[in-house]
Amino acid sequence: MTSYASVLTITAFTIERYIAICKPLVSHKIVAFSRCVKIIVTIWIISFCCALPYPIHTDLFYYVHNSHGDPISDSLQCNIPPMYYRRMTHVFQMSSFVFFLVPLTVIIVLYVLIGLTLRRAEMRREASEKYHHPHPRSGSLGSKIQHERSPPCAARRSVLKVLGMSAILTLGI
């Protein structure tokens, strides 16, 4: 349950980052403390319901029996009994898909879209600066003012590094 809640929470944070960066006007309308609480409660309810088959289908049983059919006491384990293997195989497959592949895909797509949005904004800013402030001759006063107006390249790179590190940490790479 906690694993499911963690994956869904990380996915929700990624969606929130996407909305904040790519749709800032929408984010002002939908960001509210009460909505955050509702999302967190919903995440935990979904996680609880999806994890419920595991404790229901888990039991104590002896895994190994001697030649007379008597259980060997050291083989007592808490696990999914063989009679539930077929059913639980489908549960494992669905949980892998729903709680790993789908969130992974959503997170990757959203971080790519965030990166593209930031890149487009940077290109628009550079084009706007070139249009409004054409490059004067090198060494003139206008050239020095233009150089002082534009933020350093290192600052832009650091934003992309933070975004990249967030994606790496989120994906657990």
Side-chain angles (χ1 to χ4, degrees):
M1 179 174 85
T2 58
S3 297
Y4 291 167
S6 295
V7 168
L8 293 177
T9 302
I10 290 169
T11 306
F13 283 150
T14 303
I15 292 168
E16 186 271 334
R17 283 183 190 140
Y18 168 77
I19 292 170
I21 294 171
C22 299
K23 312 279 186 196
L25 298 176
V26 173
S27 75
H28 291 296
K29 294 177 188 174
I30 66 171
V31 173
F33 181 74
S34 62
R35 181 172 293 218
C36 292
V37 170
K38 289 175 188 173
I39 290 171
I40 291 169
V41 169
T42 303
I43 285 172
W44 279 98
I45 290 171
I46 290 170
S47 299
F48 174 78
C49 293
C50 291
L52 208 52
Y54 297 101
I56 290 173
H57 292 91
T58 301
D59 200 3
L60 278 174
F61 64 97
Y62 292 97
Y63 196 70
V64 180
H65 296 79
N66 63 17
S67 58
H68 302 293
D70 298 325
I72 297 176
S73 62
D74 287 342
S75 72
L76 182 65
Q77 64 178 337
C78 179
N79 204 342
I80 298 170
M83 65 183 172
Y84 296 129
Y85 281 175
R86 186 176 180 90
R87 183 181 308 161
M88 289 306 290
T89 298
H90 298 297
V91 173
F92 283 127
Q93 290 171 347
M94 286 303 297
S95 69
S96 295
F97 180 75
V98 172
F99 292 101
F100 179 71
L101 290 176
V102 170
L104 178 70
T105 304
V106 168
I107 290 168
I108 289 171
V109 167
L110 291 180
Y111 272 115
V112 166
L113 291 173
I114 289 170
L116 290 173
T117 300
L118 292 174
R119 180 68 185 139
R120 269 191 238 115
E122 175 65 22
M123 291 173 69
R124 273 189 247 129
R125 189 189 63 76
E126 288 174 358
S128 174
E129 281 183 1
K130 286 179 184 176
Y131 178 74
H132 292 294
H133 307 287
H135 290 290
R137 289 188 315 254
S138 180
S140 69
L141 179 61
S143 174
K144 291 176 186 173
I145 292 171
Q146 172 66 21
H147 180 55
E148 290 173 5
R149 280 188 194 151
S150 63
C153 239
R156 283 178 257 154
R157 274 190 292 236
S158 71
V159 169
L160 291 175
K161 284 181 185 178
V162 168
L163 177 65
M165 289 307 294
S166 285
I168 288 170
L169 292 174
T170 300
L171 297 173
I173 298 174

